[in-house]
Amino acid sequence: MGHSCCKYLGERGPSPANSLEMQRVLGTQLLPGPQERSEQESLRSWPQPGSCGREAGSQGAADPVKLISTNALMDKLHLKYAQKPWIETLKLVRLCMDKPPRGSIHVTPHHPLLSCLEKIQRTLNAKSLSTVMTRLEFLSKQMGLKSHISPNGTVCYLTSDMFYVEVQLEKDGKVIDVKLAHLGEAPVVCDDLVQLLRMKNYDAFGKILEGLLNLYQIPGNSDMKAKVYLALQSLEKDLYSMSLLYRTQDVNRVTEVLHGKAGHLVPRTGGTPMNIEYYLSPYQVLEEELNPGSQVCGIKVFVTVGSSNTTHKLPISPLIVDSQAGDGNPVFLPLTDELSMDLSACFFLTFHQPFPMSSSNIQEIQKFTGVLIDGLKVASLHALIVQFTLNDEYKEDLSMNNSCFFVSLPDCPKHGYFINKGTEKSGALVSKIPFTHPKCVPAIIEILRHQVTYNTLIGSCVSENTTNEDCSELLYFEVSPQKGTSFSISFQHPMGESLACVVADVLSSRQIRCSLHTNPQDVSLNCCNDFITRVMERCMSVPLVMRAIFKNAVTMKVDGEIQNMDVISEQNPEVTCKQTASSNSTGANLSGASMQNSGMEASSSTASTECAICDISV
C-alpha cells in the first residue's frame, strides 16, 4: 500500500506550484541531501514489484542479486525515513490529498492516495483524539462535506450548505455528544449518532450522513431546498397527528402495526427518516406474545422527499385540524397558496429493498395518488416474489418452472413445490411510491398490507433447498397464479389417483377465502372450505395448510378402516386380529415415515412454534 502511494507520486510528480507549497510547509528537510540522492538512485535501480515475474517469464531465470524481496524494500524505506518526524509525513500526505497533481480527489474516486488512506482508516482502531478527528475528517471528504475543528481541538463540525453535525469529544477521544442542526434550526442532540460513534461504527454513521444529504438532493438554490425540507416537516407532523387520532389508550404495538390506518409510526431522529411499520408475520406476532418487549421488526417503509421531473403542489404547513369527520377520518385544510407551494419535488414511501407488487395494485395506488410510479419494469409476479424471498436479483431468464423448492415440516413428509410463474407479466419491483398529500398514506398502507399478504403466502413455498439430498418420501405441489390476487395449489389426491386443487383468493390483508376442489369420484378429504380458510389466515403458510389437509386425510382413512374392522368383526370374529394388524400398519405407513424424516430436519423449537401458530390444524 505504501509502495503504491510512493509509486504514484514518483511517476506523476507534483506540479511546480505544489512543490513550492510543500517546501514552505515542510521546510528544507524535504529537499534530499547528497546521501539521500544516492539512496534514491539505488532505489530506482531496484525492480518494481510485479516486474520481476515478467522479466523471469521473458528471459528465463533472473539474476538472484536483482530479486530483492518486498520486505527488504520496506526495511530500506523504514531506515531512510526513521529520523524524520511522523507529523511531517502526515502534512505531506494531507497536502497531496488537498491539492493532487491532476484534478480533485472528489472528481477521481479511485485516487490512489484516497484508497490507501481509506484502508488505513478502516484498519486503525480510532481511540485517541487525533485518530478520531482524522477519521471524521476523512468521512467528511468521502461524503462531500466540509470539516472544521474548534480551536481547542475537541469539537469537529461536519458542514454543508443546509445542515451541520457537531461532534464533541473528550481529550482522550471519547464521544461526549453529537448534535444536528438544519438551516435555521437550533442544534438537537442525536442519541443514535452518539451511540454509533461510541461503538466506532463509522460505516453506519456515514450512511446517516448520506441520508441527510439525500434530503436536499433537490434542484435549486438553498432557499428552494429549505422549502422542500419544510414540506417534509409538515408531512411528518400530519402523519404523527394522524397516528394519534387513530390510536386508543389500550392499543398495543402489534395491533397498531396490523390494523392501524397509519400503521406504527416512528418519528425521524437525526439522519434516520420517519418510518411506518405496517405488517408482522404470524411468527413475529407469536414471538412478541411469548417475549413481550422484544420489539420484533416487521415490514416498514420510510417517509422521504426527493426530486421530481414535474412540479407538484406540496403542503408547507400542517393540514390536519383537530376535528374529525363523521367516519372517524381526519379533516384536512385545503391546499391554498398560503399552505402550499409548487416545487420540483415529491413525497415518497421508500422501501428498504425493491418490493414485488402486482400490476393491479400499482394501478390502484397511481389512481389514488395521481402520480405515476417511474422506472417500472413489468415481469412475472411469482418470479419476482421468488427472487425477493431468496434476496436475489431478478433475472428474466430464470427458469422457475423447472425448479422445485423443498420444504421440511414436522409430522409430515417433505414437500416439493413447483411455482408456476404464469404466462403474463403481472407485476413489477417498486423501490418507492410517490405521493403529494398526507391523506394518501392510509390508503397506500392498506394496499401494501394486501400485497405483502399475497407475497407471504407465495414466499412460504420458497426455500434455498432445491435438491432432495436424502431421497426421502415427497409430496409434490404446483402453485399457479389465477385471476387478480388468487392462486391455486394442485396436488395428487392422497387417497385417489386424480388431482385435487385448493384455490386461495386473498381478498385483503385480513380476509382470505379458500375452496377445495376434488374429483367427485374420489373419496372426500374431510376438509371443509372454512377449515382450510381458518388455517391459512392463522398460519399464512401454504405448506402448513397442505400438511393439515393431508393429516386429516390420514385420520379419516384410519378411522374408516377401524369402522370396517368393527363391522367385519361382528360378522366374522376370527379375522378381527388380522384386520387390526392391517389397520395399524396402514396408519404407520401413512404417518410414521414422515415422523422419521422430519425428526432429523426440523428442530424442536421450530416444531413447537408451528404447532403454536397452527394448533387449529393439529
Side-chain angles (χ1 to χ4, degrees):
M1 181 173 63
H3 177 78
S4 63
C5 294
C6 297
K7 181 180 178 182
Y8 178 81
L9 291 175
E11 290 178 353
R12 304 176 83 174
S15 62
N18 287 349
S19 299
L20 293 175
E21 189 166 357
M22 281 191 287
Q23 292 179 23
R24 288 196 297 270
V25 175
L26 303 181
T28 57
Q29 196 170 8
L30 283 177
L31 299 176
Q35 182 179 358
E36 292 179 340
R37 282 196 296 269
S38 63
E39 292 177 351
Q40 291 176 359
E41 294 296 333
S42 63
L43 284 173
R44 292 193 188 98
S45 65
W46 291 355
Q48 297 294 329
S51 62
C52 297
R54 291 191 297 269
E55 292 177 1
S58 60
Q59 300 178 3
D63 187 359
V65 178
K66 294 183 180 180
L67 296 178
I68 302 177
S69 66
T70 304
N71 292 334
L73 175 61
M74 296 304 299
D75 292 339
K76 188 81 172 179
L77 291 174
H78 291 160
L79 179 63
K80 176 180 179 180
Y81 292 100
Q83 304 300 325
K84 292 188 177 182
W86 178 246
I87 188 65
E88 294 186 0
T89 304
L90 289 178
K91 289 181 180 179
L92 176 61
V93 173
R94 287 189 178 183
L95 184 62
C96 293
M97 285 189 62
D98 292 336
K99 294 184 178 181
R102 297 182 184 179
S104 172
I105 291 180
H106 300 298
V107 181
T108 57
H110 300 292
H111 192 283
L113 285 177
L114 188 60
S115 61
C116 290
L117 186 58
E118 181 179 4
K119 294 178 182 178
I120 294 174
Q121 294 291 347
R122 290 184 176 276
T123 304
L124 293 176
N125 186 12
K127 291 184 178 180
S128 64
L129 178 62
S130 60
T131 54
V132 173
M133 287 294 186
T134 303
R135 189 66 188 269
L136 292 175
E137 285 182 302
F138 175 74
L139 195 59
S140 68
K141 285 181 179 292
Q142 280 187 314
M143 297 297 165
L145 300 173
K146 299 177 182 178
S147 60
H148 307 279
I149 299 177
S150 62
N152 61 1
T154 59
V155 181
C156 181
Y157 297 92
L158 310 178
T159 64
S160 72
D161 295 337
M162 304 305 299
F163 69 91
Y164 73 86
V165 177
E166 177 184 343
V167 182
Q168 300 176 1
L169 304 170
E170 295 181 356
K171 292 292 185 180
D172 58 356
K174 293 182 179 179
V175 179
I176 301 175
D177 229 341
V178 180
K179 297 181 180 180
L180 169 66
H182 291 271
L183 185 64
E185 295 183 357
V188 179
V189 177
C190 299
D191 294 331
D192 54 341
L193 299 182
V194 173
Q195 294 300 323
L196 290 177
L197 289 182
R198 286 177 178 175
M199 294 186 300
K200 313 295 182 184
N201 193 348
Y202 292 98
D203 290 337
F205 183 77
K207 289 186 179 298
I208 290 183
L209 292 180
E210 184 179 1
L212 288 171
L213 289 170
N214 290 336
L215 287 177
Y216 299 102
Q217 296 299 321
I218 307 295
N221 53 22
S222 298
D223 183 63
M224 186 64 65
K225 294 181 179 181
K227 293 292 185 182
V228 172
Y229 178 69
L230 183 61
L232 177 63
Q233 284 183 312
S234 302
L235 173 66
E236 292 174 341
K237 291 177 181 178
D238 280 336
L239 293 180
Y240 185 72
S241 301
M242 197 181 302
S243 67
L244 293 179
L245 290 175
Y246 294 139
R247 185 182 302 171
T248 58
Q249 294 182 352
D250 57 345
V251 68
N252 56 23
R253 172 176 168 269
V254 173
T255 303
E256 195 173 24
V257 170
L258 296 177
H259 305 289
K261 290 189 176 181
H264 177 70
L265 188 143
V266 179
R268 174 167 53 92
T269 57
T272 304
M274 171 183 285
N275 67 79
I276 300 175
E277 191 176 5
Y278 61 91
Y279 183 82
L280 290 168
S281 69
Y283 292 96
Q284 292 172 320
V285 174
L286 179 64
E287 183 179 352
E288 185 76 18
E289 293 175 355
L290 297 178
N291 303 302
S294 59
Q295 294 294 314
V296 293
C297 184
I299 300 179
K300 62 180 67 174
V301 288
F302 298 92
V303 181
T304 61
V305 65
S307 61
S308 175
N309 295 329
T310 58
T311 302
H312 300 283
K313 184 179 289 295
L314 300 182
I316 56 176
S317 180
L319 300 178
I320 291 183
V321 295
D322 294 335
S323 60
Q324 297 185 25
D327 55 359
N329 294 320
V331 178
F332 295 93
L333 296 173
L335 284 177
T336 60
D337 293 338
E338 292 78 13
L339 300 178
S340 63
M341 186 174 182
D342 292 332
L343 299 169
S344 298
C346 195
F347 300 133
F348 293 98
L349 292 180
T350 306
F351 298 96
H352 178 67
Q353 66 181 103
F355 182 68
M357 294 192 67
S358 66
S359 300
S360 59
N361 281 339
I362 292 175
Q363 293 173 3
E364 187 176 354
I365 289 177
Q366 291 179 152
K367 182 179 179 180
F368 191 83
T369 61
V371 184
L372 293 178
I373 302 177
D374 297 328
L376 296 180
K377 188 176 181 180
V378 294
S380 165
L381 179 59
H382 280 194
L384 295 175
I385 294 174
V386 169
Q387 296 297 309
F388 180 83
T389 306
L390 296 175
N391 293 322
D392 197 2
E393 294 183 358
Y394 173 69
K395 303 178 182 63
E396 288 188 356
D397 58 347
L398 179 68
S399 181
M400 283 179 39
N401 289 330
N402 297 326
S403 298
C404 183
F405 302 99
F406 295 98
V407 179
S408 300
L409 293 173
D411 302 337
C412 182
K414 186 183 294 184
H415 291 190
Y417 287 91
F418 293 92
I419 300 183
N420 192 328
K421 64 180 181 180
T423 58
E424 297 182 359
K425 294 184 176 181
S426 56
L429 290 176
V430 179
S431 299
K432 54 186 179 180
I433 299 174
F435 64 100
T436 59
H437 198 282
K439 69 179 181 182
C440 301
V441 173
I444 296 175
I445 293 298
E446 192 58 34
I447 295 174
L448 292 180
R449 285 184 179 134
H450 187 191
Q451 184 65 62
V452 76
T453 301
Y454 184 90
N455 294 2
T456 301
L457 291 172
I458 302 301
S460 66
C461 306
V462 179
S463 70
E464 296 182 354
N465 186 12
T466 57
T467 57
N468 185 27
E469 298 178 353
D470 55 3
C471 299
S472 58
E473 182 184 358
L474 282 173
L475 299 176
Y476 287 101
F477 305 88
E478 181 179 9
V479 180
S480 304
Q482 301 296 323
K483 184 178 180 181
T485 55
S486 301
F487 64 94
S488 63
I489 310 109
S490 303
F491 56 96
Q492 184 175 356
H493 195 290
M495 294 180 295
E497 297 183 356
S498 59
L499 290 178
C501 177
V502 173
V503 177
D505 188 4
V506 184
L507 302 176
S508 69
S509 62
R510 306 170 191 85
Q511 186 179 6
I512 303 173
R513 184 173 57 204
C514 298
S515 57
L516 176 64
H517 303 272
T518 59
N519 191 325
Q521 298 178 356
D522 289 333
V523 181
S524 174
L525 288 178
N526 194 30
C527 286
C528 64
N529 295 336
D530 290 340
F531 171 78
I532 300 175
T533 299
R534 291 199 307 271
V535 175
M536 184 168 288
E537 287 180 344
R538 179 158 186 171
C539 303
M540 292 302 299
S541 170
V542 171
L544 289 180
V545 172
M546 294 297 104
R547 183 185 71 170
I549 293 175
F550 272 76
K551 288 185 69 175
N552 276 9
V554 170
T555 303
M556 184 185 65
K557 185 171 184 179
V558 173
D559 292 343
E561 292 186 355
I562 292 176
Q563 291 178 2
N564 293 335
M565 180 191 65
D566 294 338
V567 173
I568 294 174
S569 64
E570 293 178 358
Q571 298 176 355
N572 191 359
E574 295 179 358
V575 298
T576 302
C577 296
K578 295 182 179 180
Q579 292 292 339
T580 303
S582 176
S583 175
N584 293 336
S585 176
T586 301
N589 291 335
L590 288 171
S591 60
S594 62
M595 291 280 288
Q596 184 178 3
N597 292 334
S598 61
M600 299 176 61
E601 299 173 358
S603 63
S604 59
S605 60
T606 304
S608 61
T609 301
E610 289 171 343
C611 291
I613 295 176
C614 196
D615 56 2
I616 188 174
S617 65
V618 177

